[in-house]
């Protein structure tokens, strides 16, 4: 099988259409269909099911897609690197919002001291979207909070972090020295959006403690949640180290909730079939060293008084 077969297969998979793939590749529809048939004959499996004039990728097709994506990517990376050997390369990093705020800027600055010729692209998004970017090969590796959801993604923890329960200083909950779970149920819960690492952990822990969560707010913006909390609109669970970076955080107070602890891990993630360049491995090494050097002080540091 040739690289051309792989590129055609990837395009058909991504477009879910032979016609659209042919247009995108500037090929005839018969040429695209022949390439897919040759792949299926060569491997002895059906790569697509054809139902009601629509294509549905099979399980075998999904497995081939995984390999083909990285074969084509590695080839294109080789082409770019070798042709521009005397100029520079590019490193693509996906990061969740908390890590993007607290960790990535320092690490990128350190990395540039080692590899000034490498352009660093950083995509800050929800943890689940970073995983999706890994699967689509849109980033070389990622840094996320919490659990990994796909078996094709390898992960390594490099630091732990805590979330805290917060509300306005003027909120009735703020008057209590010890808050019970039952107390929380009387007030609206303001949450990050679905698929964020913060949302997933807070939802999991609250459910474990018999709190059936139906958020009054869902927001991709932590600043929006902080502003709403400052107005006394409810309570939330947010990253402890991230809060001081937001306006109005002085109007908030941490709550001591009986029996609740929100600890999560920061993860380095990458596709199991991904070829990691020396530059990528260097950045990952910087992440691990940052975790080793900062974890103790990270845990020991007193939380700011809001």
């Amino acid at each position: 099988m040739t690289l051309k077969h792989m590129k055609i297969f990837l395009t058909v998979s991504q477009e879910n259409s032979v016609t659209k793939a042919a247009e995108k590749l500037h090929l005839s529809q018969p040429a695209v269909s022949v390439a897919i048939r040759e792949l299926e004959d060569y491997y002895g499996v059906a790569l697509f099911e054809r139902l009601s004039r629509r294509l549905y990728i099979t399980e075998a097709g999904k497995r081939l897609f995984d390999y083909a994506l990285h074969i084509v990517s590695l080839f294109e990376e080789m082409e770019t690197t070798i042709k521009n050997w005397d100029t520079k390369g590019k490193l693509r990093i996906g990061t969740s919002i908390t890590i993007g705020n607290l960790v990535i800027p320092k690490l990128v600055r350190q990395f540039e001291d080692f590899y000034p010729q490498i352009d660093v692209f950083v995509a800050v998004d929800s943890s689940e979207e970073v995983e999706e970017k890994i699967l689509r090969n849109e980033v070389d590796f990622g840094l996320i909070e919490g659990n990994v959801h796909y078996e094709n993604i390898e992960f390594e923890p490099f630091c732990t972090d805590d979330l805290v329960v917060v509300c306005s200083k003027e909120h009735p909950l703020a008057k209590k020295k010890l808050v019970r779970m039952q107390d929380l149920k009387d007030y609206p819960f303001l949450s990050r959006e679905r698929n964020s690492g913060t949302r997933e952990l807070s939802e999991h822990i609250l459910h474990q403690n018999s709190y059936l969560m139906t958020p009054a707010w869902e927001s991709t913006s932590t600043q929006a949640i902080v502003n709403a909390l400052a107005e006394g609109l409810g309570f939330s669970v947010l990253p402890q180290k991230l809060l001081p970076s937001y306006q109005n955080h002085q109007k908030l107070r941490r709550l001591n909730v009986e029996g609740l602890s929100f600890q999560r891990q920061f993860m380095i993630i990458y596709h199991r079939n991904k070829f990691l360049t020396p530059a990528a491995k260097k950045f990952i090494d910087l992440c691990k060293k940052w975790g080793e050097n900062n974890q103790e002080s990270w845990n020991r540091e007193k939380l700011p008084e809001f």
Side-chain angles (χ1 to χ4, degrees):
M1 286 296 99
T2 67
L3 193 64
K4 183 177 180 180
H5 283 87
M6 296 296 164
K7 288 182 176 179
I8 290 174
F9 168 70
L10 285 177
T11 307
V12 172
S13 301
Q14 291 164 339
E15 298 294 331
N16 289 316
S17 165
V18 169
T19 301
K20 291 180 180 178
E23 292 174 355
K24 190 171 183 177
L25 295 168
H26 304 292
L27 296 172
S28 67
Q29 289 185 41
V32 172
S33 296
V34 166
I36 296 299
R37 188 162 58 250
E38 288 175 344
L39 273 171
E40 292 180 322
D41 291 343
Y42 181 83
Y43 290 111
V45 295
L47 300 175
F48 297 97
E49 292 181 343
R50 298 156 179 85
L51 303 172
S52 302
R53 298 185 179 181
R54 295 188 63 183
L55 290 182
Y56 299 89
I57 192 166
T58 64
E59 289 303 314
K62 291 176 183 178
R63 180 62 61 90
L64 179 61
F65 180 91
D66 226 24
Y67 285 110
L69 183 65
H70 291 280
I71 289 169
V72 172
S73 172
L74 186 57
F75 176 81
E76 292 174 347
E77 186 174 286
M78 178 188 71
E79 289 278 280
T80 301
T81 301
I82 299 303
K83 287 180 179 178
N84 298 281
W85 187 257
D86 295 328
T87 55
K88 57 186 178 181
K90 188 170 187 177
L91 184 64
R92 305 168 304 164
I93 305 168
T95 176
S96 59
I97 293 171
T98 299
I99 298 175
N101 274 276
L102 298 177
V103 182
I104 276 288
K106 299 180 180 68
L107 292 179
V108 170
R109 173 54 63 197
Q110 290 179 38
F111 177 81
E112 289 178 343
D113 292 338
F114 291 100
Y115 290 94
Q117 77 280 13
I118 301 289
D119 281 340
V120 180
F121 167 78
V122 177
V124 181
D125 215 318
S126 68
S127 292
E128 187 163 318
E129 181 57 29
V130 173
E131 290 186 72
E132 295 287 348
K133 289 179 185 295
I134 292 284
L135 295 177
R136 297 192 298 265
N137 198 39
E138 294 177 6
V139 295
D140 299 312
F141 64 92
L143 304 173
I144 67 168
E145 309 123 24
N147 298 323
V148 173
H149 302 88
Y150 300 95
E151 63 177 13
N152 289 329
I153 294 180
E154 301 286 349
F155 59 90
E156 303 176 57
F158 71 99
C159 190
T160 59
D161 178 44
D162 290 305
L163 305 179
V164 290
V165 184
V166 288
C167 67
S168 165
K169 287 182 177 180
E170 307 304 320
H171 194 279
L173 287 172
K175 313 303 179 186
K176 298 178 179 289
K177 290 185 178 180
L178 181 65
V179 176
R180 300 171 303 156
M181 282 298 304
Q182 186 62 38
D183 297 328
L184 294 179
K185 295 178 181 180
D186 294 332
Y187 300 99
F189 179 64
L190 282 56
S191 175
R192 283 283 308 278
E193 80 284 5
R194 295 181 185 275
N195 306 327
S196 78
T198 298
R199 167 70 173 268
E200 183 177 31
L201 177 61
S202 59
E203 190 173 62
H204 176 69
I205 298 296
L206 289 172
H207 279 188
Q208 279 187 329
N209 287 270
S210 302
Y211 185 100
L212 300 178
M213 194 173 76
T214 303
W217 282 48
E218 289 185 344
S219 176
T220 58
S221 168
T222 303
Q223 181 66 73
I225 293 175
V226 169
N227 290 343
L229 292 173
E231 294 296 328
L233 298 183
F235 73 96
S236 188
V237 181
L238 297 172
Q240 63 167 351
K241 295 294 191 299
L242 193 57
L243 280 170
S245 63
Y246 292 103
Q247 290 181 338
N248 284 332
H249 79 271
Q250 301 95 335
K251 298 180 180 180
L252 306 185
R253 174 157 292 164
R254 299 187 310 276
L255 298 178
N256 179 19
V257 183
E258 184 179 22
L260 282 193
S261 175
F262 298 88
Q263 189 173 80
R264 60 183 178 177
Q265 290 185 314
F266 288 175
M267 297 286 193
I268 302 163
I269 63 171
Y270 49 89
H271 197 286
R272 64 172 54 173
N273 296 324
K274 178 67 178 178
F275 172 77
L276 296 174
T277 63
K281 290 179 179 178
K282 179 63 179 179
F283 200 103
I284 289 173
D285 186 53
L286 286 175
C287 292
K288 294 176 180 178
K289 289 182 177 177
W290 182 90
E292 292 171 1
N293 295 334
N294 289 275
Q295 185 65 77
E296 185 176 351
S297 61
W298 188 276
N299 291 339
R300 187 175 60 246
E301 181 183 335
K302 290 184 177 180
L303 295 177
E305 292 297 331
F306 306 141

